[in-house]
Amino acid sequence: MEARTVLRFSFLFLSISLVLLFTFVHLPYAPPRMTDLLDCATNSPWCTSKNRIQTKQTNLLKEPPNRKRHHNHASDTPHHPLDPLTIQELKKVRSILSSHELFASSSYSLHSIDLEEPEKPLVLKWKKGDPLLPRKASVVARVRGKSHVLTVDLGTGQVVVRETGLHSGYPTMTMEDMTLSPFAPLANADFNRTIVQRGIDLADLACLPISTGWYGKSEENRRLIKVQCYSMEGTANFYMRPIEGLTVLVDLDTKQVVEISDKGREIPIPKAANTDYRYSVQELHQAMNPPNPISIEQPKGPSFTIEDEHLVKWANWEFHLKPDARAGVIVSRARVLDPDTGKLRDVMYKGFTSELFVPYMDPTDAWYFKTYMDAGEYGFGLQAMPLEPLNDCPRNAHYMDGVFAAGDGTPYVRSNMICVFESYAGDIGWRHSESPITGMDIREVRPKVTLVVRMVASVANYDYIVDWEFQTDGLIRVKVGLSGILMVKGTSYNHINQIPNQENLYGTLLSENVIGVMHDHYITFYLDMDIDGSDNSFVNVNIKRQQTSSGESPRKSYLKAVRNVAKTEKDAQIKLKLYDPSEFHVINPSKKTRVGNPVGYKVVPGGTAASLLDLEDHPQKRGAFTNNQIWVTPYNQSEQWAGGLFVYQSHGEDTLATWSDRDRPIENKDIVLWYTLGFHHIPCQEDFPIMPTVSSSFDLKPVNFFESNPILRFPPNVEKDLPVCKPAASV
Amino acid sequence: MEARTVLRFSFLFLSISLVLLFTFVHLPYAPPRMTDLLDCATNSPWCTSKNRIQTKQTNLLKEPPNRKRHHNHASDTPHHPLDPLTIQELKKVRSILSSHELFASSSYSLHSIDLEEPEKPLVLKWKKGDPLLPRKASVVARVRGKSHVLTVDLGTGQVVVRETGLHSGYPTMTMEDMTLSPFAPLANADFNRTIVQRGIDLADLACLPISTGWYGKSEENRRLIKVQCYSMEGTANFYMRPIEGLTVLVDLDTKQVVEISDKGREIPIPKAANTDYRYSVQELHQAMNPPNPISIEQPKGPSFTIEDEHLVKWANWEFHLKPDARAGVIVSRARVLDPDTGKLRDVMYKGFTSELFVPYMDPTDAWYFKTYMDAGEYGFGLQAMPLEPLNDCPRNAHYMDGVFAAGDGTPYVRSNMICVFESYAGDIGWRHSESPITGMDIREVRPKVTLVVRMVASVANYDYIVDWEFQTDGLIRVKVGLSGILMVKGTSYNHINQIPNQENLYGTLLSENVIGVMHDHYITFYLDMDIDGSDNSFVNVNIKRQQTSSGESPRKSYLKAVRNVAKTEKDAQIKLKLYDPSEFHVINPSKKTRVGNPVGYKVVPGGTAASLLDLEDHPQKRGAFTNNQIWVTPYNQSEQWAGGLFVYQSHGEDTLATWSDRDRPIENKDIVLWYTLGFHHIPCQEDFPIMPTVSSSFDLKPVNFFESNPILRFPPNVEKDLPVCKPAASV
């Protein structure tokens, strides 16, 4: 009885806190003050709203990561037409909106406030020194249950409400949606009862907001989320302690419990032992032999510069870089120096992570809906946490902060969200030795040095490490690393012996009572290639076997490259085939090399796992942008998000697949290339309790873009430039 | 007329030199003296035999690469049963053979002298401190036109002549075969005439020995090679200046010209301009902006040790490493520490590059035969040149020398042939951040540090960078990088406009008069996996779509992993399929984890280009080991070379494909996994005049091998362990 009293008191206390908190973060029109510039890592209200759950953990928490510098963003001003909105600009948007009739008479939430990028031709024409193009914000707001897209002109104060069409779906959740909805079940007596009956101390409860997907009419016209809970008793890694089978459907707008599905009561909560991954709690009982400290050193310092906060210049590259709440990182205006002319040449107008699709392979009640779209549902950038110097990025990394807006429009700073660093792994850029065959004493070798732009999004359990790596030979490698923690399922089984022969676990038994459920990851990239200008074509260079005719050759067969220029979008819907291979070029048909090859870049696939779900399955319809691995669409400013602008609970009528099926002409047009990196993940015990990083990448690689090897003139390393470093401390 | 006199004189002079040289290197039974210990990079006769050709170049040559140390190998003794033959042992072999009747009465050549590894069970049982197992050499010799395989017992002096069966093919060429055959055409008047008529100064001639392959009966019973020539006038990169259409067929044993094919006289030799890649001759006329010097630094030094010259110990790994004349690098007895028991566990008994297959895609007279098998024809290790410190491998690399035998059995040292170093690229081993969703302040990140074993084989024009990379999480990544110089074809065309519509160039016009001919690269690896012991099984874990039944779930479909244990070899002949994907596990069926999963490693494919040639084409029959990307065979000490022991001019009756087609049982047996890395290469202008490195890799990855993440206890980097380095010079 006493325990129950405590619970009731907790619940009352929580409810009051929640109401207060809710009110606070929705308090409209508070005059912007410096205290509004929240650094989420230290003092934002929704970060600390979880402190209640954390209290028990406090002693386990290590000190916050050290930060190298603290840039005061309050006085930032934009310098480039693509620079993100500054704090001052975000405040101005908030202020303009506050006097707009739409927001006058009721509470609202702002789901995103982003720069509305100027028209592409204007940006292409703009040069440093020119007056900045008019600054506009694109705002997605929900008012009285309706979504609105607005354009706010920061110069004139004008607000234009844009047509959003009749598509299904809701905007990306606000951080408040994600942080508050997990508390909603606590207001429900049935939920509290089952928690207690399962023997869980409410103080140990950790609940996650899980996007519902869309499975039919019952979910229409209501913004819904499913909440599932875990026990954090005895471990910071509560993800390994699921309260299996308990799913609470919550209305995201009202935070009311709609439905509780309470199954799997017989399934024990897996033990906490050996689940905590933090260094501070490891028992170092075995003689492991970790390598000595190691780092990348540059005696003359890093050789990149970042002009006006966002324009990165390194070796033969120049590009604009900015954080984005939805995409994470946006790389724009990537240009590379031509070694023959000394001029910068266009390669890519804009590249970013457009959408993710992460379907789990378990059709049962508590799992079927887990088909995440992390960018459009959760905000890939919103989930990018401050990077940890010396571990997330090596010494000499430059860190870039994100400036985002809370649900009420208040700007806040996400510090150290992106890092930029030069990498050298000991690899070779190009080389040649002459051998005894010729007897010439030649050894020419160049080290391979690259520039990496990194962001890590931690979407609850999973960590996505997204790298844009620029090579001096003109290649851009886009790499995604998966680490973090599995989403696991509770089970009664302790050993495979116990499992009946025909039973499908939907995954791997990783530990006693823990199943790692099989799943896929698809990360779809938007790549607006502009090869020496905007009008480009897509060429499928197909490698075909040719048979020789009788007497033609001692050879019966050889391979031939056959070029097929894509006329319309359907020509460029590509499923990769290892036994019918092709290269995929984006070329500029009007620009030829000296000997007449069209200049181009090719996309070199990697991470080629393809979605195999039924095309008519709801998740696959919503994730139809993974139906092909490569697509090409004509440039259209409104077609940037592969799952649609409003992807949350969308029905899939507005995806890359539907756009592409219009089959528009794409030859010698401004075109956008889409590539999807895919992973099939059958978990294994090594993934427990936290996963060693698995990476895949694809390349954008020059192909007859340069007249010849562009790095011929780069020098080798020589001893005098790389004196042996001594630790400064030891001097 | 004067020019002609000079030519004739040159020719006479050359002939005499050749005879002398030939005699010298075949001088039998010379008592071994210290001067016999040739360092090929400095004073071996066949290296310097080309000095004649080089004279014109001398002023262009840069200084020889600096070498860190000079280990005197004269007193090396073996410590481990798998240690390669030492100089003393090679001398002893030579001495034993010198008194054997087979070599008594005529000249001979020794094509290889290698350690004959002791039986696997004996090696597995052997422990440090035990007496060394009996040392034996395996010798391949040619005497009076016949190939012999001999076992020489170094203890007893006994020589056993082994049965080699009736297979076609010849042994790997000796270095003398390769260095002398290019001179053979000079003894032919027709050859000299056409060279002069084409306007080439004989002093500028550079000729290459090109393996002929096998195309039918006419090539039987005679060891043949094709010689093609280039002009090195004005460039060290003679490869870009082919004398197109001229092919000289030479008898490798007699060095006589068998046939001259002299076509393409109308094709000009491409210009030398812009072909030289050496830094010393670059004009730095454009403002390129190379990155600042960069290196990998370890304030406490490297953390690997190499015991007794060959046993590498690093972090949680231990393995035996040795150079090999044919394979390049052999990794043996790779074992990884179990963090729970503190014991080393078997992973791989032996791994190496078994064969390469490099078919060019041009069926015409001067090109059809170019279907190289670089290991079995040229000796992948024989072509591995000394590595260049700070460029081929970073600071702190350890260099290992190779000790090989010349054609007369004389040992020589190939210095700095392999390097071993720790790599850190700024990557992340594992990580997790908690996000605002949970509000917990957790950022746990571990840097990814690896140990790389590297060798670079320069097989004439191409450079193959072969890396074995060991990760602390138990993963082994095998990576092959391709750099060096293309094999190009001369053409009359200067511009694509000139090419008739239907004409097939068989490649890409790279520069005026230069075609980069399309080709493939296949590198086949022998991987004798021993997962916790020798008896293992191969499991195809197939990922299959399942449809749900009506009413079962809101989902229509999901994926399921279906395990199929291979019973016989044909079950394990794998062609990869992206739309019918599988994981490929090597498991120990007798060893289970705590929860009952069989312990295993999986091969994770990469570099998945597959050979598409006609299976009945002669080159593909010889290269039939590329008919599948994965094969599994039962362990058989005689089945190590995927193209057969005698691959030169072989007919393809003794390849991995023929062994595998016997369809022997492989379940719960000692099995060998074979994986082929493949590349399709359509050259592009960026590959001219030297290619930026292109890499692919595959992984051997633990899958339920460990009970849990094995690197949980590795520490993060902390500031105090990585003090900022200052160049020692600046102090």
Side-chain angles (χ1 to χ4, degrees):
Chain A
M1 284 301 275
E2 199 173 73
R4 202 160 269 215
T5 313
V6 172
L7 275 178
R8 288 218 178 114
F9 177 76
S10 304
F11 171 53
L12 189 70
F13 170 75
L14 277 168
S15 307
I16 294 166
S17 319
L18 271 176
V19 169
L20 285 175
L21 191 64
F22 201 77
T23 312
F24 173 69
V25 294
H26 283 72
L27 200 72
Y29 321 136
R33 298 181 313 268
M34 275 309 293
T35 50
D36 289 333
L37 309 178
L38 305 170
D39 183 332
C40 191
T42 53
N43 66 348
S44 94
W46 54 90
C47 297
T48 50
S49 73
K50 296 298 178 68
N51 278 346
R52 180 196 56 85
I53 288 187
Q54 236 178 279
T55 44
K56 252 187 120 169
Q57 297 288 323
T58 310
N59 59 327
L60 299 176
L61 289 174
K62 67 187 188 65
E63 72 280 19
N66 53 340
R67 289 194 187 72
K68 292 248 167 170
R69 67 198 178 89
H70 243 304
H71 176 88
N72 184 344
H73 292 276
S75 56
D76 284 355
T77 51
H79 295 91
H80 188 284
L82 299 176
D83 279 356
L85 296 176
T86 63
I87 284 178
Q88 293 303 336
E89 289 177 325
L90 285 168
K91 286 183 185 173
K92 191 156 182 193
V93 171
R94 196 168 180 261
S95 156
I96 292 168
L97 291 181
S98 71
S99 53
H100 190 273
E101 53 175 0
L102 193 61
F103 305 95
S105 58
S106 68
S107 75
Y108 61 87
S109 56
L110 304 177
H111 287 251
S112 63
I113 310 179
D114 295 306
L115 175 75
E116 186 162 306
E117 295 188 355
E119 298 284 325
K120 190 168 164 179
L122 298 176
V123 176
L124 287 170
K125 230 168 60 185
W126 185 87
K127 279 186 195 67
K128 192 172 167 149
D130 292 354
L132 203 59
L133 298 171
R135 301 281 288 174
K136 294 179 185 176
S138 176
V139 178
V140 174
R142 274 182 62 80
V143 191
R144 287 183 297 274
K146 282 203 168 164
S147 305
H148 303 269
V149 182
L150 312 149
T151 296
V152 179
D153 189 313
L154 282 154
T156 63
Q158 201 188 16
V159 178
V160 179
V161 180
R162 276 153 54 193
E163 264 311 312
T164 55
L166 297 167
H167 294 314
S168 59
Y170 300 107
T172 306
M173 287 185 278
T174 61
M175 201 54 99
E176 292 81 352
D177 285 333
M178 294 178 248
T179 53
L180 298 178
S181 57
F183 292 103
L186 290 167
N188 182 287
D190 290 340
F191 176 81
N192 283 272
R193 197 173 305 118
T194 194
I195 292 298
V196 173
Q197 281 167 357
R198 289 180 189 230
I200 298 151
D201 188 337
L202 263 188
D204 291 326
L205 204 61
C207 301
L208 293 179
I210 299 175
S211 55
T212 52
W214 181 77
Y215 289 88
K217 298 220 175 283
S218 68
E219 295 127 7
E220 271 173 20
N221 302 319
R222 199 164 184 184
R223 215 158 62 94
L224 296 168
I225 195 150
K226 291 195 171 177
V227 177
Q228 293 192 327
C229 301
Y230 300 80
S231 166
M232 62 193 330
E233 188 194 1
T235 182
N237 190 354
F238 61 85
Y239 302 101
M240 293 299 113
R241 308 203 66 202
I243 300 169
E244 193 54 48
L246 177 64
T247 308
V248 185
L249 186 66
V250 171
D251 184 305
L252 264 173
D253 286 319
T254 65
K255 303 290 183 289
Q256 281 181 321
V257 170
V258 177
E259 196 181 306
I260 296 183
S261 173
D262 187 9
K263 297 176 180 171
R265 289 174 188 231
E266 74 291 356
I267 299 173
I269 294 176
K271 292 204 173 61
N274 300 318
T275 60
D276 208 326
Y277 50 88
R278 291 170 302 166
Y279 188 62
S280 56
V281 301
Q282 297 306 311
E283 290 171 42
L284 306 173
H285 57 79
Q286 287 297 340
M288 292 304 279
N289 210 359
N292 287 346
I294 190 166
S295 184
I296 295 172
E297 290 299 338
Q298 299 168 282
K300 295 183 184 171
S303 32
F304 63 90
T305 56
I306 302 189
E307 228 175 75
D308 298 334
E309 295 287 312
H310 294 288
L311 196 67
V312 183
K313 296 181 175 187
W314 173 76
N316 45 356
W317 280 102
E318 182 178 314
F319 57 89
H320 186 274
L321 175 66
K322 65 177 163 187
D324 184 81
R326 181 161 178 173
V329 163
I330 295 179
V331 173
S332 302
R333 297 288 280 128
R335 296 188 291 167
V336 68
L337 194 77
D338 190 298
D340 297 319
T341 64
K343 296 221 169 95
L344 286 169
R345 294 170 61 188
D346 288 351
V347 174
M348 186 177 71
Y349 182 75
K350 191 175 181 181
F352 59 90
T353 309
S354 174
E355 193 51 275
L356 293 90
F357 178 44
V358 188
Y360 280 71
M361 301 304 171
D362 183 337
T364 60
D365 184 67
W367 280 81
Y368 76 89
F369 53 89
K370 289 173 183 166
T371 55
Y372 303 97
M373 299 202 178
D374 290 316
E377 293 178 342
Y378 291 86
F380 208 44
L382 289 183
Q383 312 303 330
M385 295 296 102
L387 296 162
E388 182 80 357
L390 286 186
N391 290 295
D392 270 325
C393 319
R395 188 195 305 296
N396 285 330
H398 169 92
Y399 294 87
M400 189 180 283
D401 301 339
V403 174
F404 301 137
D408 68 344
T410 312
Y412 65 93
V413 174
R414 173 68 45 77
S415 61
N416 290 11
M417 176 184 158
I418 298 175
C419 71
V420 181
F421 63 89
E422 282 164 287
S423 172
Y424 169 63
D427 284 336
I428 297 169
W430 62 261
R431 85 179 307 286
H432 183 58
S433 283
E434 284 294 329
S435 75
I437 292 177
T438 66
M440 294 162 74
D441 187 15
I442 293 182
R443 319 219 185 294
E444 289 278 340
V445 193
R446 302 295 177 272
K448 178 174 168 181
V449 183
T450 63
L451 186 79
V452 178
V453 172
R454 175 169 297 162
M455 178 212 75
V456 184
S458 300
V459 193
N461 54 313
Y462 249 95
D463 291 49
Y464 291 90
I465 304 159
V466 180
D467 285 357
W468 289 80
E469 186 173 12
F470 294 82
Q471 298 190 181
T472 54
D473 61 5
L475 185 147
I476 304 175
R477 175 159 294 172
V478 185
K479 186 160 86 169
V480 176
L482 307 177
S483 188
I485 300 170
L486 284 172
M487 181 138 279
V488 303
K489 182 176 180 172
T491 173
S492 313
Y493 302 124
N494 284 319
H495 195 281
I496 284 180
N497 286 347
Q498 301 162 342
I499 306 168
N501 212 9
Q502 290 307 308
E503 187 171 325
N504 188 354
L505 277 195
Y506 308 111
T508 309
L509 193 66
L510 299 182
S511 179
E512 289 81 359
N513 309 117
V514 178
I515 294 167
V517 174
M518 194 174 153
H519 56 281
D520 289 349
H521 296 267
Y522 299 100
I523 304 105
T524 298
F525 286 88
Y526 172 101
L527 306 158
D528 180 1
M529 305 302 289
D530 274 16
I531 305 301
D532 270 333
S534 291
D535 285 350
N536 290 172
S537 294
F538 179 75
V539 186
N540 181 328
V541 182
N542 191 222
I543 299 176
K544 280 264 177 250
R545 179 169 68 219
Q546 307 289 304
Q547 301 286 149
T548 57
S549 48
S550 170
E552 178 189 349
S553 166
R555 282 272 283 274
K556 285 189 169 48
S557 64
Y558 62 98
L559 305 187
K560 183 181 173 183
V562 180
R563 298 172 68 88
N564 299 298
V565 179
K567 305 284 179 202
T568 62
E569 289 177 284
K570 286 189 181 174
D571 294 338
Q573 294 180 349
I574 307 288
K575 288 180 174 64
L576 298 173
K577 292 174 192 147
L578 298 180
Y579 284 83
D580 179 16
S582 292
E583 287 192 355
F584 305 99
H585 296 199
V586 175
I587 61 157
N588 185 326
S590 320
K591 178 96 190 294
K592 303 274 164 72
T593 62
R594 202 178 65 241
V595 296
N597 292 304
V599 300
Y601 260 68
K602 63 179 173 181
V603 57
V604 185
T608 51
S611 184
L612 304 172
L613 292 178
D614 190 320
L615 292 178
E616 292 305 312
D617 209 350
H618 284 304
Q620 190 60 40
K621 282 170 100 164
R622 299 179 63 235
F625 51 89
T626 64
N627 290 356
N628 294 297
Q629 287 148 312
I630 296 174
W631 314 71
V632 178
T633 56
Y635 175 81
N636 179 335
Q637 202 166 7
S638 76
E639 294 176 0
Q640 301 215 30
W641 306 107
L645 175 65
F646 291 165
V647 84
Y648 199 95
Q649 274 174 267
S650 70
H651 306 179
E653 333 89 312
D654 183 33
T655 70
L656 171 54
T658 53
W659 311 333
S660 169
D661 278 344
R662 279 184 240 149
D663 206 20
R664 295 162 289 187
I666 54 170
E667 189 181 1
N668 203 6
K669 301 263 181 221
D670 188 0
I671 53 177
V672 177
L673 175 72
W674 305 76
Y675 185 77
T676 296
L677 270 178
F679 303 75
H680 296 300
H681 190 173
I682 306 174
C684 60
Q685 287 184 233
E686 285 79 2
D687 295 332
F688 177 92
I690 191 159
M691 298 176 281
T693 307
V694 174
S695 295
S696 276
S697 61
F698 68 94
D699 294 340
L700 300 170
K701 190 179 176 182
V703 56
N704 304 313
F705 181 82
F706 296 108
E707 290 290 349
S708 61
N709 181 329
I711 48 171
L712 210 57
R713 298 183 192 120
F714 277 59
N717 271 337
V718 291
E719 195 69 36
K720 74 168 175 52
D721 289 341
L722 282 172
V724 174
C725 283
K726 299 283 179 200
S730 78
V731 180
Chain B
M1 280 301 274
E2 200 175 74
R4 202 161 272 211
T5 314
V6 171
L7 275 177
R8 286 217 180 115
F9 177 76
S10 303
F11 172 54
L12 190 70
F13 170 76
L14 276 170
S15 308
I16 295 168
S17 318
L18 271 177
V19 170
L20 286 173
L21 190 66
F22 200 77
T23 314
F24 174 71
V25 294
H26 283 71
L27 200 72
Y29 322 136
R33 300 180 312 271
M34 275 311 294
T35 50
D36 290 333
L37 308 180
L38 305 170
D39 184 331
C40 192
T42 54
N43 66 346
S44 95
W46 53 91
C47 296
T48 50
S49 71
K50 296 299 178 66
N51 279 346
R52 178 196 57 85
I53 288 185
Q54 236 177 281
T55 44
K56 252 188 116 166
Q57 296 290 323
T58 310
N59 59 329
L60 298 176
L61 289 173
K62 66 187 188 65
E63 73 280 19
N66 55 340
R67 287 193 188 71
K68 292 253 166 166
R69 71 202 174 88
H70 242 303
H71 176 88
N72 183 344
H73 292 275
S75 56
D76 284 354
T77 51
H79 295 92
H80 188 284
L82 299 176
D83 279 356
L85 296 176
T86 63
I87 284 177
Q88 294 301 336
E89 289 177 326
L90 285 167
K91 286 183 185 175
K92 191 157 184 192
V93 171
R94 195 168 181 261
S95 155
I96 292 168
L97 291 181
S98 70
S99 53
H100 190 273
E101 51 174 2
L102 192 62
F103 304 95
S105 58
S106 69
S107 76
Y108 61 86
S109 57
L110 303 178
H111 287 250
S112 62
I113 311 180
D114 295 305
L115 175 76
E116 185 162 308
E117 294 188 355
E119 299 282 325
K120 191 169 163 178
L122 299 176
V123 176
L124 288 170
K125 232 167 60 185
W126 185 88
K127 278 187 196 65
K128 189 169 170 153
D130 290 355
L132 203 58
L133 299 171
R135 299 282 288 176
K136 294 179 185 176
S138 177
V139 177
V140 174
R142 275 181 62 79
V143 192
R144 290 184 293 277
K146 282 204 168 165
S147 305
H148 302 270
V149 182
L150 312 148
T151 297
V152 179
D153 188 312
L154 282 155
T156 64
Q158 202 189 13
V159 178
V160 178
V161 181
R162 275 153 54 192
E163 265 311 314
T164 55
L166 297 167
H167 294 314
S168 60
Y170 300 108
T172 305
M173 287 185 277
T174 62
M175 201 54 98
E176 291 82 352
D177 286 333
M178 294 178 250
T179 53
L180 298 179
S181 55
F183 291 102
L186 288 168
N188 183 287
D190 291 340
F191 176 81
N192 283 270
R193 197 173 305 118
T194 195
I195 292 298
V196 173
Q197 282 168 356
R198 290 184 190 229
I200 298 151
D201 188 337
L202 264 187
D204 291 326
L205 204 61
C207 300
L208 292 180
I210 299 176
S211 55
T212 53
W214 182 76
Y215 288 88
K217 297 220 175 285
S218 68
E219 295 127 8
E220 272 174 21
N221 303 319
R222 199 166 185 183
R223 215 159 61 97
L224 295 167
I225 195 148
K226 291 194 171 176
V227 176
Q228 292 193 329
C229 301
Y230 300 80
S231 166
M232 63 195 326
E233 188 194 359
T235 181
N237 190 354
F238 63 84
Y239 303 100
M240 292 300 112
R241 306 203 65 202
I243 301 170
E244 193 54 48
L246 177 63
T247 308
V248 185
L249 187 65
V250 172
D251 185 304
L252 264 174
D253 286 320
T254 64
K255 302 290 182 289
Q256 282 180 322
V257 169
V258 177
E259 195 182 308
I260 297 184
S261 175
D262 186 10
K263 297 178 179 169
R265 287 172 190 233
E266 75 290 356
I267 298 172
I269 294 176
K271 293 204 172 63
N274 300 320
T275 61
D276 208 327
Y277 50 87
R278 291 170 303 166
Y279 188 61
S280 54
V281 301
Q282 298 307 310
E283 291 170 41
L284 305 174
H285 59 79
Q286 287 297 341
M288 293 302 283
N289 209 359
N292 287 346
I294 188 165
S295 184
I296 296 171
E297 292 297 338
Q298 300 168 281
K300 295 183 182 172
S303 33
F304 63 91
T305 57
I306 302 189
E307 228 177 74
D308 298 332
E309 295 287 312
H310 294 287
L311 196 67
V312 183
K313 296 182 176 187
W314 173 76
N316 44 357
W317 279 103
E318 181 178 315
F319 56 91
H320 186 276
L321 174 66
K322 64 176 164 189
D324 184 80
R326 181 161 181 172
V329 162
I330 296 180
V331 174
S332 302
R333 296 288 279 127
R335 295 189 291 168
V336 67
L337 194 76
D338 190 299
D340 296 319
T341 65
K343 296 219 169 96
L344 285 168
R345 294 170 62 188
D346 289 352
V347 174
M348 185 177 73
Y349 182 73
K350 191 175 181 181
F352 59 91
T353 310
S354 174
E355 194 51 273
L356 292 90
F357 178 43
V358 188
Y360 281 70
M361 301 305 171
D362 182 336
T364 61
D365 184 66
W367 280 82
Y368 75 89
F369 53 88
K370 290 173 183 165
T371 54
Y372 304 96
M373 299 202 179
D374 290 316
E377 293 178 341
Y378 291 86
F380 208 44
L382 289 182
Q383 312 304 330
M385 295 297 101
L387 296 163
E388 181 79 357
L390 285 187
N391 289 295
D392 270 325
C393 319
R395 190 195 305 293
N396 285 331
H398 168 93
Y399 294 87
M400 188 180 284
D401 301 338
V403 174
F404 301 135
D408 69 344
T410 312
Y412 66 94
V413 174
R414 173 69 46 77
S415 61
N416 290 14
M417 175 184 159
I418 298 174
C419 72
V420 181
F421 62 90
E422 282 163 286
S423 172
Y424 169 63
D427 284 335
I428 298 169
W430 62 260
R431 84 178 308 289
H432 183 59
S433 282
E434 285 292 330
S435 75
I437 292 176
T438 66
M440 294 162 75
D441 186 16
I442 293 181
R443 322 223 182 289
E444 289 278 339
V445 193
R446 301 295 177 274
K448 179 173 168 181
V449 183
T450 65
L451 187 79
V452 178
V453 171
R454 174 170 297 163
M455 179 211 74
V456 184
S458 299
V459 192
N461 54 313
Y462 249 94
D463 292 50
Y464 291 91
I465 305 159
V466 181
D467 287 356
W468 289 81
E469 186 172 14
F470 295 83
Q471 298 190 181
T472 54
D473 61 5
L475 185 146
I476 303 174
R477 175 159 295 174
V478 184
K479 185 160 87 169
V480 176
L482 307 177
S483 187
I485 300 170
L486 283 173
M487 181 138 279
V488 303
K489 181 175 181 173
T491 174
S492 313
Y493 301 124
N494 285 318
H495 194 280
I496 284 179
N497 286 346
Q498 302 162 341
I499 306 167
N501 211 7
Q502 289 307 306
E503 187 171 324
N504 188 354
L505 277 196
Y506 308 111
T508 309
L509 193 66
L510 300 182
S511 179
E512 288 80 2
N513 308 117
V514 178
I515 293 167
V517 175
M518 195 174 149
H519 56 281
D520 288 349
H521 296 267
Y522 299 100
I523 304 107
T524 298
F525 286 87
Y526 172 101
L527 306 158
D528 180 2
M529 305 301 289
D530 274 17
I531 305 301
D532 270 332
S534 292
D535 286 349
N536 289 172
S537 295
F538 178 75
V539 186
N540 181 328
V541 182
N542 190 221
I543 299 176
K544 280 261 177 255
R545 177 170 67 220
Q546 308 287 305
Q547 302 285 148
T548 56
S549 48
S550 168
E552 179 189 348
S553 166
R555 283 273 282 275
K556 284 189 170 46
S557 65
Y558 61 99
L559 305 186
K560 182 182 174 182
V562 181
R563 298 172 69 87
N564 299 299
V565 179
K567 305 284 180 201
T568 63
E569 289 177 284
K570 286 190 181 173
D571 294 339
Q573 295 179 349
I574 306 289
K575 289 180 174 65
L576 299 173
K577 292 175 191 144
L578 298 181
Y579 284 83
D580 179 17
S582 292
E583 287 193 355
F584 305 100
H585 297 199
V586 175
I587 61 157
N588 186 328
S590 320
K591 178 96 189 294
K592 303 275 164 76
T593 61
R594 201 177 67 240
V595 296
N597 292 304
V599 300
Y601 259 68
K602 63 179 173 181
V603 57
V604 185
T608 51
S611 184
L612 305 172
L613 293 178
D614 190 321
L615 291 179
E616 291 306 311
D617 208 350
H618 283 306
Q620 190 60 39
K621 280 169 102 166
R622 299 178 64 235
F625 51 88
T626 62
N627 290 357
N628 294 297
Q629 287 147 312
I630 297 174
W631 314 71
V632 178
T633 57
Y635 175 82
N636 179 336
Q637 202 165 5
S638 76
E639 295 174 0
Q640 301 214 31
W641 306 109
L645 176 64
F646 291 167
V647 83
Y648 198 94
Q649 272 174 269
S650 69
H651 305 181
E653 335 88 312
D654 184 33
T655 70
L656 170 55
T658 53
W659 312 334
S660 169
D661 278 343
R662 280 184 239 148
D663 206 20
R664 295 162 289 188
I666 53 170
E667 189 181 0
N668 204 6
K669 302 263 182 224
D670 189 359
I671 54 176
V672 176
L673 175 72
W674 305 76
Y675 184 78
T676 296
L677 269 179
F679 302 75
H680 297 300
H681 190 173
I682 306 174
C684 60
Q685 288 184 234
E686 285 78 3
D687 295 333
F688 178 91
I690 191 160
M691 297 175 282
T693 307
V694 174
S695 296
S696 275
S697 62
F698 68 94
D699 295 339
L700 300 169
K701 188 177 178 183
V703 56
N704 303 314
F705 181 81
F706 296 108
E707 291 290 347
S708 60
N709 181 329
I711 47 170
L712 208 58
R713 297 182 193 120
F714 277 58
N717 272 338
V718 291
E719 195 70 36
K720 75 171 174 49
D721 289 341
L722 282 172
V724 174
C725 283
K726 298 285 178 202
S730 76
V731 179

